[in-house]
Amino acid sequence: MPWLFWTLPLGLLTFALAAVLRRRAELRHFKNSLAERSLARSRGSHQARLQHPAIDLSSCIGCGACVRACPEEGVLGVAYGQAMVVHGARCVGHGRCAEACPTGAISLTLGDLQGRNDLPAIDERLQAVGVPGLFLAGEITGFALVRTAVQHGVQVAAEVARRLVAAPAAPYANTARRPRVAVHSAGGGTAGSLAAAAEPATATTPLDLLIVGMGPAGLACALSARERGLQFLAIDQAAGVGGTVAAYPRRKLVMTQPMELPLHGRLTQTSFRKEELVTLWERLAQEHELPVRTGIAVTGIDRDPTSGVFTVHSTGQTFRVRNVCLALGRRGSPRRLGIPGEDLPHVAHALLDAESYQRRTILIVGGGDSAVEAALALAEQGTNTVTLSYRKGAFSRLKARNEQRIAAAMAAKAVHVLFDSEPLAITADTVTLRVTAEAAHGTIELPIDDVFVFAGGTPPFPLLQTAGVSFDPALRPQAVPGTDRGTGLLVALALTLTGLLGLVAIRWYWREYYDLTADQRTFAAAHELLRPQGPPGLWAALAATTLFAINLVYLIRRAPRLGGWLPGSLRSWMALHIASGLGALLCAWLHAGFHIRDSVGGHALLVMAIVVGAGVVGRWFYAFVPRAQNGRQQDLEELGARVTALASEWDRHGRGFGAEVRAHVENLVAGESLGRGFFARVIALVRGQARLRRQLRSLRARGLAEDVPQSEITRVLGLAQQAHRLALQVTHHEELRALLATWRYLHRWLALLLLLLTIAHIVTATRFGSVDLGRLFGGGDR
């Protein structure tokens, strides 16, 4: 026993110290995530260009699995115990965060596309809106992932096959015939060793499908079309298959995800060297005799509105087809700088092999990933002098790895970066740059051997527009806003209410016993039955223990590595978590005979009530954290929009009584401070709400005294409540979220204390108390 008195305090102190240290580390991590988020905002990289993860914060448990799974570093972070988007611009839509999330709280969605005029309007079948039979797939739709491009190609071929089967009356080529013919390039020669298995279209038998572009989307579409027996042809303006990937630098690593390729099977690798991927595609085209013609560029697409047949004009010949799949990239032709000397032979717009450049003085123009990767590859040769010119003052949309590498190269003076600069003219051995940076404003001239321009590309939008493709944002299908699945609180409260009514009935029926004091109950006739050790009390204790255990199983279900084997959605488990917690409290209250004793069991009951109360208080905290209508926590941009909308509403009621109320609310908010620390913030919130209620009562009385119409008073005071809460959210945005995070932390450790007290109570009652568990199961007295 003496050892217990020494080891127990030592264990508790060690446990407390570990908890404090862990909390400090967690707070440092939160601080770093928020600092990175602020940096992303200042650079403009916090918003995604297209796809990005949407986080359902009512389901997020803050496990960080999404952060660890994302291959693009810095897209996601964890702050205040929940995930958040940090560098949204780095997201390319891998979707691994959604796959890794144990609660299903993440889904990939599209950003706000209403202001984008560079995305074609297509429907869910990838068909151009208003142009039946014209499909778009791959990068041209705005999705850059190889896996997504492959899925697009397969989807287009499947849709074409479905339509041909559904319209048997239309002229339909005999897909059973598969004569082998040679595939020729535009110049008349055979395009490599690719072979065709489709009959060229005639004036009366148009092809089922023409695929324009042989990148991953075009190749997948061709393989799927071959698998489905379609009469089709694939063309590409390049000299071979591969599309954008084929133009990557030598040995560039291409990130992808496991995917299914028609006629080949599953690709399980998550990364390929550029050469590996292109070689695989070329082999598939040869093995399955895909009808591919290279060196052919499309110049125009016309559609006969009567027959629905397309006439596709190209540099090689004219094709008549029923359906067209434009699997084009977005790069198109390299964007020109429009300066003298841009056409000189030592100026290039792509770097295919950095190792072929040795002992050269090289200028890179651009600030994107391609420019940075080219500069790093050339600098890594060890003999080159590399300068990078970028027109902005800092890199803003780089991948995290590239940002780290270029920073290290700049620090090591391997790459010299000229921010706020742009080339004015290029000669055979010099480049003239205009520098607008404050530190070195003016014009400079650099000696050079080679110039690489990475200014992006000019997408083939004119071709699409002449074919009837619209870029009107109003014609795009509206993105479905994310909806939170909620916490199941309504179901839990309904079950708890039912249980509480049952307790009230028991308390009323045995009121003669329960109205007695603890000492008086010992002599009551019903004491043997209703005491905590009696059968009803033991059954209630057993129910409370079972419910508490179920409550703790929820923690296992939400764990990333442990909860996968448990059935049911996390929403169902959350409802069960809340209901079991409240139910355990009710059963424990019945077991205690509606009386808290000065014992381990009484202390456990008291802590249980505190834990449940903390849960209720937490729901109250949630009301102050700014949230959208679907329950998602809002950021400051959305709050700013709400402020603007509310200001417009105030303007309609801004005279007389409305102006007086608005002035009082603004003064009230100006004088509020949440202070520092958890309890100070809680007290400040309670006091602020009390002051607001007093102020609104006073203003209502004043409005009635001044004969202001009741409807006007109600409307203005409602606006006052909205304005007060919104101002509080904007002014103390981070403090409110920190308050919620601290509450989660305290709630967690209080639950652990409850677990320890419950175990101690059970051990004490069974070993030293007069508990007879045999009576529950008909075993009689011991």
Side-chain angles (χ1 to χ4, degrees), residues 523-537:
F523 305 100
H527 181 65
E528 186 64 23
L529 174 66
L530 300 180
R531 67 192 183 105
Q533 296 87 347

Side-chain angles (χ1 to χ4, degrees), residues 417-469:
V417 178
L418 291 174
F419 290 112
D420 295 315
S421 66
E422 56 183 344
L424 298 178
I426 304 174
T427 66
D429 54 6
T430 64
V431 173
T432 302
L433 297 170
R434 178 173 55 224
V435 181
T436 59
E438 296 181 1
H441 188 78
T443 302
I444 61 174
E445 189 175 84
L446 298 178
I448 53 94
D449 296 316
D450 302 283
V451 178
F452 290 92
V453 178
F454 295 92
T458 303
F461 292 161
L463 172 65
L464 271 64
Q465 290 171 330
T466 57
V469 178

Side-chain angles (χ1 to χ4, degrees), residues 359-431:
R359 297 179 179 84
R360 309 288 289 180
T361 301
I362 304 169
L363 175 69
I364 308 293
V365 179
D369 284 305
S370 297
V372 168
E373 289 172 0
L376 292 170
L378 291 167
E380 287 170 357
Q381 303 310 309
T383 61
N384 297 320
T385 301
V386 181
T387 302
L388 189 148
S389 170
Y390 185 37
R391 59 188 176 86
K392 294 184 179 181
F395 299 116
S396 60
R397 292 183 176 271
L398 293 181
K399 295 178 181 177
R401 184 169 180 270
N402 285 338
E403 188 172 357
Q404 295 167 0
R405 293 178 63 207
I406 191 62
M410 291 169 62
K413 302 188 183 304
V415 177
H416 178 52
V417 178
L418 291 174
F419 290 112
D420 295 315
S421 66
E422 56 183 344
L424 298 178
I426 304 174
T427 66
D429 54 6
T430 64
V431 173

